[in-house]
């Protein structure tokens, strides 16, 4: 992939006429030229902290947005004022920049991408919300071999195959939709058996989930989906394409049951119709 200013920051994909959207906001690896020149962080470490291939995991969802820029340029899952990592403490104590803190003018231009992304996402989701309640699959991944390439994996009890973050969500209103998602995804067989899907074990959702909840109160449901990096080697970056395809199919097969549960839940509340 090209790390240059000509590469698009994000791409809108698919048919946005239905009530389910998938996002891959940390899958990107590209950097603007000035950001790349200022960066001290090595390529391998940067890739390890990004969410590679999450765009492929969400590829069978009907409507998607794929972000091509690295979270080390701007983190779209943080609030605007925290979206650019300025100092090591902003980025897991990593020395991101040759000169720290990052110069204000570079940070300002990175923040403009945060503004542009949420402005465009808002325009699109406003149209979706005008038709009725909707669901966002906010697709991410997480590391489970933090202690080193040859160290043991993190314990299974604390590291589900898929963590479903629902922290900001009104579970009393939309709990049935969450339950259907978890039950459907967990029941899909993979090469290693059924998928271990649990709620709020590692993560509860961050800025994008909160933004959906606040902007579309009573209409928007955001599920922050963290896939454990068993679909790749988190230290070398090598993907397991067969496992990625399996997870993509499994996630795609949740769409219709979730939309059905959404129609039932929204109809039970206010008699509304959801396509």
């Amino acid at each position: 992939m090209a790390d240059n200013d000509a590469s698009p920051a994000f791409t809108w994909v698919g048919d946005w006429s239905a009530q389910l959207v998938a996002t891959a906001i940390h899958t990107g690896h590209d950097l603007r030229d000035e950001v790349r020149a200022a960066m001290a962080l090595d390529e391998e470490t940067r890739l390890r902290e990004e969410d590679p291939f999450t765009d492929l995991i969400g590829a069978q969802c009907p409507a998607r947005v794929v972000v091509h820029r690295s979270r080390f340029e701007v983190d779209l899952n943080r609030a605007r004022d925290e979206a650019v990592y300025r100092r090591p403490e902003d980025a897991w104590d990593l020395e991101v920049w040759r000169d720290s803190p990052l110069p204000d003018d570079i940070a300002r231009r990175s923040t403009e991408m945060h503004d542009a992304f949420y402005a465009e996402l808002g325009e699109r989701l406003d149209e979706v919300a005008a038709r009725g309640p909707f669901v966002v699959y906010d697709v991410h991944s997480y590391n489970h071999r933090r202690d080193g390439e040859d160290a043991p994996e993190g314990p299974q009890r604390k590291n589900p195959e898929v963590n479903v973050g629902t922290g900001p969500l009104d579970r009393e209103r939309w709990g049935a939709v969450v339950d259907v998602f978890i039950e459907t995804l967990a029941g899909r067989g993979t090469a290693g058996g059924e998928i271990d899907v649990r709620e709020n074990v590692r993560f509860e959702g961050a800025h994008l989930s909160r933004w959906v909840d606040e902007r579309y109160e009573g209409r928007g449901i955001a599920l922050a989906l963290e896939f454990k990096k068993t679909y790749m080697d988190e230290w070398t970056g090598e993907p397991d394409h067969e496992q990625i395809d399996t997870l993509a199919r499994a996630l795609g097969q949740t769409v219709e049951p979730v939309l059905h549960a959404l129609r039932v839940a929204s109809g039970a509340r206010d008699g509304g119709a959801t396509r």
Side-chain angles (χ1 to χ4, degrees):
M1 61 185 73
D3 282 356
N4 57 58
D5 293 354
S7 63
F10 40 84
T11 302
W12 309 98
V13 184
D15 178 4
W16 286 65
S17 65
Q19 299 305 106
L20 191 143
V21 173
T23 66
I25 60 174
H26 282 165
T27 197
H29 190 64
D30 295 359
L31 298 170
R32 294 196 321 275
D33 289 341
E34 64 175 353
V35 174
R36 178 161 36 86
M39 186 162 289
L41 195 66
D42 65 87
E43 188 95 2
E44 291 77 13
T45 302
R46 180 159 68 88
L47 183 65
R48 191 159 55 248
E49 299 300 339
E50 295 162 347
D51 296 351
F53 313 112
T54 49
D55 57 326
L56 301 181
I57 292 174
Q60 294 192 18
C61 295
R64 297 178 289 130
V65 56
V66 177
V67 174
H68 305 292
R69 298 291 176 82
S70 172
R71 68 187 303 176
F72 288 94
E73 179 171 317
V74 60
D75 190 334
L76 298 176
N77 211 24
R78 294 192 184 184
R80 183 184 191 277
D81 293 343
E82 302 171 350
V84 177
Y85 308 149
R86 303 292 293 270
R87 298 172 176 82
E89 53 266 34
D90 299 331
W92 314 282
D93 294 324
L94 296 171
E95 292 288 347
V96 178
W97 309 112
R98 298 182 189 278
D99 298 309
S100 187
L102 181 69
D104 289 342
D105 59 333
I106 297 179
R108 175 179 54 78
R109 285 186 284 273
S110 293
T111 302
E112 289 172 356
M113 180 187 149
H114 193 281
D115 295 338
F117 174 80
Y118 278 98
E120 292 191 39
L121 181 61
E123 288 180 5
R124 288 174 176 267
L125 289 184
D126 285 352
E127 294 182 5
V128 175
R131 298 192 295 265
F134 65 93
V135 179
V136 174
Y137 288 175
D138 182 25
V139 184
H140 296 268
S141 63
Y142 76 95
N143 297 320
H144 65 296
R145 296 168 58 201
R146 283 286 186 186
D147 294 334
E149 186 172 0
D150 299 320
E153 299 178 358
Q156 182 71 17
R157 63 186 177 84
K158 295 183 178 180
N159 295 273
E161 190 75 16
V162 185
N163 181 99
V164 183
T166 61
L169 182 141
D170 181 353
R171 219 185 185 294
E172 182 178 354
R173 182 182 182 99
W174 302 117
V177 178
V178 179
D179 292 342
V180 165
F181 173 82
I182 292 173
E183 291 164 7
T184 305
L185 186 63
R188 301 297 174 186
T190 66
E194 293 184 349
I195 301 174
D196 173 22
V197 185
R198 284 176 274 157
E199 187 175 356
N200 297 331
V201 175
R202 286 287 304 263
F203 309 94
E204 295 188 359
H207 177 70
L208 190 144
S209 293
R210 291 191 294 269
W211 179 85
V212 169
D213 183 70
E214 292 169 7
R215 183 179 176 110
Y216 303 102
E217 183 178 1
R219 297 180 85 73
I221 303 169
L223 303 182
L225 309 180
E226 296 274 354
F227 287 79
K228 184 163 64 173
K229 287 184 180 176
T230 52
Y231 65 83
M232 63 178 291
D233 187 316
E234 68 188 53
W235 284 91
T236 67
E238 282 297 311
D240 179 342
H241 286 293
E242 183 177 352
Q243 180 69 353
I244 291 170
D245 289 345
T246 297
L247 292 173
R249 288 194 302 273
L251 186 61
Q253 288 167 344
T254 68
V255 171
E256 287 306 319
V258 164
L259 286 176
H260 175 73
L262 179 66
R263 287 191 290 270
V264 171
S266 58
R269 282 281 181 166
D270 53 26
T274 303
R275 288 203 293 164

